[in-house]
Amino acid sequence: MFSQLFINGLIAGAIYALVASGFSLIYSTCKFIHFAHGAVVAVTAYILYLFFSLLGLNFWLAVILTIIFAGFFGWLINKILYKKLRKRKASNVILLIASVGLLILLESLILLFFGADVKTIGFIKIAKGLEFLGAIITPLQIVIIISSFVLLFLLFFFTKKSKIGKAMRAVADNRDVAEIVGISAEKMFSWSFIIGSAIAGIAGILVGLEQNLEPTMGTNLIIKGFTGAIIGGIGSVPGAILGSFLLGFSENFGIWFLPSGYKDAIAFIILFVFLLARPQGILGRKK
Amino acid sequence: MSKTLQTIIWIVIIVVIIGVIWYIASRKPAEEEAIKIGAILPLTGKAASYGESAKVALDLALEEINKQGGINGRNIELIYEDSQGQPQMGVSAANKLITLDKINIILGPVMSSVTLAVAPIVEGNKVILMTISSAPDITYAGDYVFRNREKTTQQSEKMADFIFKILEIKEIATLYMNDDTGKAHHSTLVENFEKLGGEVLISETYNPGAVDFRTQLTKIKAVNPEVIHLASKPKDVGMILKQAKELAIEAQFVGTSGSEGEEVIELAGEAAEGLVYSVPSGDITKPGVAEFYEKYQEKHEKGYVEVGALFYDSLKIITMLMKECENPIDTNCLKEKLYQIKDYQGASGKTSFDEYGDATKTVILKTIKNGQFVPYEE
């Protein structure tokens, strides 16, 4: 049973990590909590459903279009909502409230356009998973786990090596100094939204295939992704991914011993423990 | 956005608002005032698909009643309120219906938690509530609270009998949703099954909204039961069956009426085949049932026809009694007559009310065969 629970934890952790990484990337640059990130994941999952199941496009074409759409959608959110608010010198609390409002708005729009019932993308046939060291895992779940690891490395190199990544870190570190040396902070905010949301697009596709689509899926995802990001260190993308896996493991191993109704309780107890004992998270830096 | 564009948008918005007000104001008032009946349903939120199904059926019943002349020439009017499946929203909806719309009869709510929250309000105002929630506590929720739905124990008895006597299996595992309905189905099944001499090897639970059941299923798989009982709702049943198949669990799955819904087949596909579940009536060989199913599916293909049938019957029974009472909105008279309903043959099968206001219905077993919900044959 251990190996199966380990795999279960790995799958759950990978899903949380997919959500947490984009969320954390946006937070680290823009320094506010973009709760609507969960709804962006949900919207992109529905967009894939629209392209693939309703319009009948080729699956891989639909996937690429969905990821492009997700990046564009993130850029649009930043441009028409957050940028306007920042221009008016809105505080981070106001941005946070706006993001919660946007989360609810987007979920309601999904409900309006697609209805309340669960949707399936239906690209993968349900079958018995593959045996792997005494545990069972489906090919899609392997893709999910690999994707989250690949993202971890790509994001790491992106922020450390690429020009935009470095500029984003500069803005994150000290906005004023970055602007003095000629980096446009607004431009970096846009980039962080485009990249963060494109990752949300990947998350939306994989989660949509694995867990199917519901209008309220975004809230559930962002709660767990947010918890993972806090545990790992909210400003740090690798930390967020690490925290997400830790969360996935503790939830699934926890209910090995405890009644399974305590699954969510375990997640939030860990959140509180971290907030009290190590608020900067595993990989976060102390201010 | 440029200034002129903004001005144009504002002008358009104002014109639309004026247009809407004009339209509402110019509608002709009804010739004789209609009798208002309230309906509290989860029209948005997680349980919205139940609410939608109920609304379609209620609109269908309403259309038929008014076409046949309403109640002594007076039309019936339904006022829908959205509970979002949440108790506090249900309470404010009930207060609004009673104080502002002055209604005397409320249909719904769907969710047990909402019904239990609304019950004291209707009881205090002597307003009749006709719910379809299944929590056992509703039995004692009040004199004016009726439940047009089989009692949970009816389903559990049938299922326990089926597992023990027909499948001849003595050891089972259970997985249930951690809410009033799931717990009620679970505990009554365990009680009935143990009374017969069976044993429950493991009981696992999950919280509403969960999508990952793998760890619960892993724990169940470890004790290797021959039958797994699910007290759940269609969306979750679908996900559970899918994940069970992926985890190579080969046990026979059985379930409650919460196993019937298109989502089960949509989510689980072939993994749903062979699931056996109990369901109140739904015997489409009986008069009224097949007819309703056809009419309903014409309007709403994907909804829960069982839920629709219950609401359809609720409205039909109430309006039937309204004609018998001198004053159609005299809730005392309606209440007394409701307690006397015996073997009413409607869209949801035969209905009788007991002295607690709970309905007794015929419960049958159904199964999933070739992607269809069909009566179970031994």
Side-chain angles (χ1 to χ4, degrees), chain A residues 28-32 78 82-83 85-92 95 167-190:
Chain A
S28 67
T29 317
C30 306
K31 292 282 181 292
F32 78 93
N78 181 49
Y82 296 136
K83 198 175 170 185
L85 287 171
R86 273 196 301 267
K87 243 186 200 162
R88 294 178 193 167
K89 305 264 181 288
S91 68
N92 284 350
L95 290 172
M168 269 163 72
R169 279 197 300 142
V171 173
D173 217 39
N174 191 325
R175 185 181 165 168
D176 297 331
V177 175
E179 292 208 312
I180 288 168
V181 297
I183 300 168
S184 158
E186 278 302 336
K187 211 167 163 186
M188 289 309 123
F189 292 159
S190 288

Side-chain angles (χ1 to χ4, degrees), chain B residues 18-155:
Chain B
I18 292 172
V20 169
I21 293 170
W22 180 272
Y23 173 73
I24 292 169
S26 65
R27 273 196 308 183
K28 275 184 207 149
E31 303 207 338
E32 197 170 358
E33 213 184 316
I35 298 172
K36 290 178 189 164
I37 294 178
I40 302 178
L41 300 171
L43 295 170
T44 60
K46 279 192 193 304
S49 41
Y50 289 111
E52 264 176 59
S53 306
K55 189 168 181 292
V56 170
L58 283 176
D59 284 337
L60 205 64
L62 182 74
E63 200 187 311
E64 290 172 11
I65 293 162
N66 284 340
K67 210 179 265 173
Q68 289 160 10
I71 310 300
N72 309 327
R74 285 171 75 181
N75 269 356
I76 296 283
E77 188 189 332
L78 280 174
I79 301 173
Y80 291 105
E81 289 295 329
D82 184 10
S83 70
Q84 301 178 10
Q86 292 175 4
Q88 69 275 26
M89 297 300 290
V91 166
S92 52
N95 280 325
K96 187 238 163 198
L97 285 171
I98 294 168
T99 51
L100 285 177
D101 298 313
K102 312 265 183 244
I103 53 91
N104 303 81
I105 295 139
I106 296 178
L107 302 174
V110 173
M111 311 302 275
S112 291
S113 50
V114 186
T115 303
L116 287 167
V118 168
I121 302 169
V122 296
E123 192 65 18
N125 287 292
K126 298 192 172 173
V127 166
I128 288 180
L129 186 79
M130 178 80 91
T131 179
I132 65 151
S133 307
S134 62
D137 294 351
I138 294 168
T139 305
Y140 311 107
D143 216 15
Y144 288 84
V145 179
F146 290 84
R147 165 173 24 210
N148 182 19
R149 160 116 188 234
E150 87 296 348
K151 274 181 279 186
T152 315
T153 46
Q154 273 190 280
Q155 282 198 40

